[in-house]
Structures are given as C-alpha cells and as structure tokens.
Amino acid sequence: MIRKTLTVSFVAAAMVAIGVVKEAKADVISWTDWTSLGSGILSQNGATIGVGYSGASGTGISSDARRWRESSTPGAYTGSTVIDNAPVDSITQIYAGSNTVTFAQAVIDPVMTFFSIGNGGTGLYLTFDQDFEFLSTGGGNWGNGPLIQTASNVLYGREGNGAIQFLGAVTSISWSANRYESYYGFNVGAAATVVPEPASLALLGVGLAGLGIARRRSRKAA
C-alpha cells in the first residue's frame, strides 16, 4: 500500500510539474494574417491553416499595429499566462450583425482579441455560439473601459479591450452583437506549438518509469 501511494504521488508530482512548466511562460501566438477581408492564414504545429471570415457589411482589414496598443499593466491582450504577443492585423470597422470565423482544419484552443467593444456611454454585448474562457482586459488605443464576461458565452464591453479563449478542437466561431456599434475590431489566433515542452515530457517519463519499477517490485514481493 505504501509503495502504491508513493508511486501515485511520484506520477502526480510529475504531472503537476508539467502544469508549472506550461504556465510559467505564455504561448507565442500565430495570429491570422488577413490577406483579404474574407480570408487569411495562421499556423499551428507546422501546419498552415486557412481562416475565413464572413460578417456584417462595412467591415475592413487593417495592418495598423497601433489598434492593438496596450496602455495598462497587465496588458489588455498579453496580461494572461496564455498570450505572449499582441496581434498586428485586424478585422475592423464592425458595426452590427452576425459574424463567423471558420478554420480549414480544427485549431486547438484558439484565442481571440478585441478592441473598442462598446463606447463610453453605451455598452455592447457579444453573444457567441459556444462557451469561452476570459483571459485578460485593460487599456487600449481608445480607452480603458470595462470588458467582462457576463455569461459562459457572452462578452460585454464599454470601450473594452481584451482576450478570450475557446478550449478544444475548434472549426468555427460565430457571434452576434445586440445593437449597432461604431465600431470594434478583432483578430483570432492560436498557439504556434501545442505539444508539451521537452522538460515536461522528461518529467512525465520519469513518473511513468517510477510507476513501472514499483509494479515490478510489487510482483516480485508477491
């Protein structure tokens, strides 16, 4: 019983260590490079993945990195342990209606960043077709209004800036606004690499090796 407990603890320690390694440094994000209003590309684990966008009329694309300027600490977009780098490109001038992003193949744990959701006087609700994790918020190029998650799939902003994440293998993301807005923007991306770091794999290997040794000793003792 003691050997079994020690073995389980050994493996658990290795798994915890993997989590520590993962959380110690944010991921480098491959943000979508929008080559046109309706299409762009990102990369994950060496694969180039096509990204499509369809939405309300009047939208455009921009490569002006000032739209993603962070004016607070922690940063609106890089203030979590998930995102290391802010975007450059953006889909911008979104005024109203429904929007959909599609991926040519499943993307693991994609992230989205938004700037200027709502305005100082009137808030804006964005309702998504799936649940998300709220990552960060803060000051941006046009102000430092609140951005909060009001439900598992609803984001509310009043000149808000920030980042969210969808967990799992995702092939599309859709959302809609509750009113006309002039205007907000977004980009979507994913960790360029999602495999465990070598140190994490080594720790897991040590834990599994310990489990094998304990089992062999247990059989000999029997």
Side-chain angles (χ1 to χ4, degrees):
M1 182 65 179
I2 294 175
R3 287 175 180 167
K4 183 177 180 180
T5 301
L6 288 174
T7 301
V8 172
S9 299
F10 196 50
V11 175
M15 297 299 289
V16 169
I18 289 174
V20 171
V21 171
K22 179 66 175 176
E23 294 178 0
K25 187 178 186 303
D27 293 320
V28 174
I29 302 298
S30 172
W31 293 106
T32 300
D33 176 12
W34 295 103
T35 55
S36 69
L37 178 58
S39 65
I41 55 172
L42 60 78
S43 62
Q44 188 170 71
N45 285 349
T48 299
I49 302 172
V51 184
Y53 168 74
S54 61
S57 61
T59 55
I61 58 175
S62 172
S63 58
D64 186 350
R66 290 177 299 176
R67 296 179 184 274
W68 300 111
R69 184 176 69 90
E70 295 178 305
S71 61
S72 64
T73 302
Y77 315 111
T78 60
S80 71
T81 58
V82 174
I83 298 176
D84 179 69
N85 52 307
V88 175
D89 281 7
S90 63
I91 297 289
T92 186
Q93 295 176 320
I94 302 175
Y95 295 101
S98 299
N99 304 269
T100 298
V101 168
T102 56
F103 303 111
Q105 68 184 62
V107 172
I108 306 301
D109 300 341
V111 293
M112 292 187 75
T113 48
F114 293 89
F115 62 78
S116 192
I117 293 179
N119 56 54
T122 308
L124 183 72
Y125 289 91
L126 301 183
T127 301
F128 293 82
D129 64 343
Q130 55 198 289
D131 294 349
F132 61 82
E133 298 288 322
F134 188 86
L135 297 181
S136 59
T137 186
N141 195 52
W142 287 283
N144 187 18
L147 184 70
I148 58 176
Q149 182 176 12
T150 60
S152 61
N153 67 326
V154 179
L155 195 61
Y156 171 80
R158 207 166 65 241
E159 203 61 67
N161 316 283
I164 61 176
Q165 183 174 39
F166 300 87
L167 300 180
V170 177
T171 56
S172 68
I173 302 168
S174 295
W175 72 98
S176 59
N178 68 312
R179 65 171 183 83
Y180 177 87
E181 148 80 326
S182 181
Y183 56 86
Y184 72 94
F186 80 93
N187 203 350
V188 61
T193 304
V194 293
V195 296
E197 296 87 345
S200 301
L201 293 174
L203 286 169
L204 180 58
V206 169
L208 293 175
L211 179 60
I213 292 171
R215 284 180 175 175
R216 286 196 296 272
R217 288 178 176 174
S218 178
R219 285 197 296 268
K220 287 181 179 179

